[in-house]
Amino acid sequence: MEDCTPTTTNLSIYRAARSIKKRDNTLYNALRSIYEDSIFVGEIAQLWPDLPLLANLRCGSWYSSKFHSTCYFKSTDGHTNNWSFSTSRLNLHVAHLAGQKGGCIIVDSTRRGKRFPDSMSKTIPIWTCVLNRCIRNHLNSMLDTAAQTNRESNASHQDDESIRGVALDWDCSLHLPLWVSETEKASIEDRLEEWTKQLNASGADIASLAFCLKKPLRPLWISQKSVIWLNEVPDHDSWDFTPIILLTASSSSGVIQHRSTSEFSWNYIAGAGDDEESWARGLSPNLFWNHAYDLINSGPDLCNQKVADIVEKDRVYRAHRGQNAPQVTVKAPKLLESSVHFSNREVPLPLDISHIEIDIKSSDEDCAISWLGSTNLAVGTSQPAANVSNVDCILNCDRESISLSLSDAEAYLHLPIVTSKLDRFSLLSNLPSAVNFAKLNLSQGKTLLVCCHDGEDISVCVCLAILTSLFNDGGTFDNGKSFNETCITKWEMRRRLVYICKFATNARPSRGNLKQVFGFLSGGRGGSEPQTAPDMQ
């Protein structure tokens, strides 16, 4: 007879491991871990209070209530043998902000076992190096132009010598953390020249960067294991570079940390803010910080219900304002017996949250509308669209329609477009209608807002199609004349996308949607399957 005991044993071990993991990754454990790590983030931010604090989306946005702005550096661009410099995510607003303020602090986190995410170990160092190389090339080009002018006029200028000195001292080295091997560093360095050429060809405004940045960009790394002597913290102005301080919020311990207070027992989760769809139950960073005190003090047993109440109240609030307010459904977990006994007497936790800025609104702060230069074209989210007064017409690409008080019924078009993960041709099949609507209104001198749920992907891609189809290289509306005379290539698309990202700094178009835009622009206008697009990332 076959012995089935090992199979039963293995199944029991598997179930036990899953049960332990589910118990450790509870909502309360995640929120409590985020709060504890946010204290460290606040302490580091106070060391350089003049430097703006930026959240690297999406994980980093959970770790403070006081972010100045956001950025988007992907870890996949820094994965070993997959290194990349993305012209779709240039984050030039980060470089401009660092130039204006003398540096900046970027917050992110990572799961247990790593000190820093690859976005900080390699993606951002690659980004700073490529930008530095382009700026130095621009300075050298300025010198060549000035020298030619001086030879023709037999004149000389002291400014030229000043620029020459800056160009010679401009550090273009690749600065990586010590834990990146020399072999990997050499492989990355072999690709720097190609990435520099790509950035130059993208049409990015390097001249404004060179004017804004007085010192080259350079990354620095800080984690909870970093040793910082408070009486020896240097002034950021004393460095001979513009610091991009990369702050990883979480502890990098490789073991599960069981922590307890006088009231509650909980398990610490490193990088708890990551993959919020799997644990947050509809809670957003803003909602969390608006209700942080109640949530942390509610304890493990009441936390889930507290979050459900907060999310539902916010949904109702949005619905009353005519905003997109989908019902959040959460799979009910199986009830587990708690191994920890609590006292019946409730004692408030001794938490100092005086530094938290509480927003009196119960919903997330509305995203700003981004106007694309002088094109009369704007991109943004569908949530504040109903209250926008300075647009003549609206193209809504969200799934849900919005209530508007526009006098002209033809001034509003709703095209429910879904992401490429749900439908590979949804965007492509709707682009002809979108471009025709834009053409009709822009030709009459009207202003047009293109909006979607988050204002980061679908609406950006629709704007990219409109901008390429109806505007010339200079951003002037020409009713499609230059488009009909031009063969659209991946480089031309990148140039237009870089132009959009210059104004819409939160733009995060997905590769699948960019492929559909390319298919439309290169001939697939009828809704058929798009041509194989080059890698737009």
Side-chain angles (χ1 to χ4, degrees), residues 287 290 314 317-318 321 323 359 361-365:
L287 281 177
N290 288 346
D314 180 67
Y317 176 79
R318 289 182 182 278
R321 296 181 66 190
Q323 298 176 358
D359 191 348
K361 295 189 299 182
S362 63
S363 66
D364 291 350
E365 208 171 56

Side-chain angles (χ1 to χ4, degrees), residues 291-313:
H291 303 275
Y293 185 83
D294 287 341
L295 289 173
I296 296 302
N297 282 280
S298 65
D301 291 345
L302 300 178
C303 182
N304 286 10
Q305 187 58 50
K306 282 271 189 180
V307 168
D309 292 342
I310 291 169
V311 171
E312 177 61 16
K313 287 180 180 178

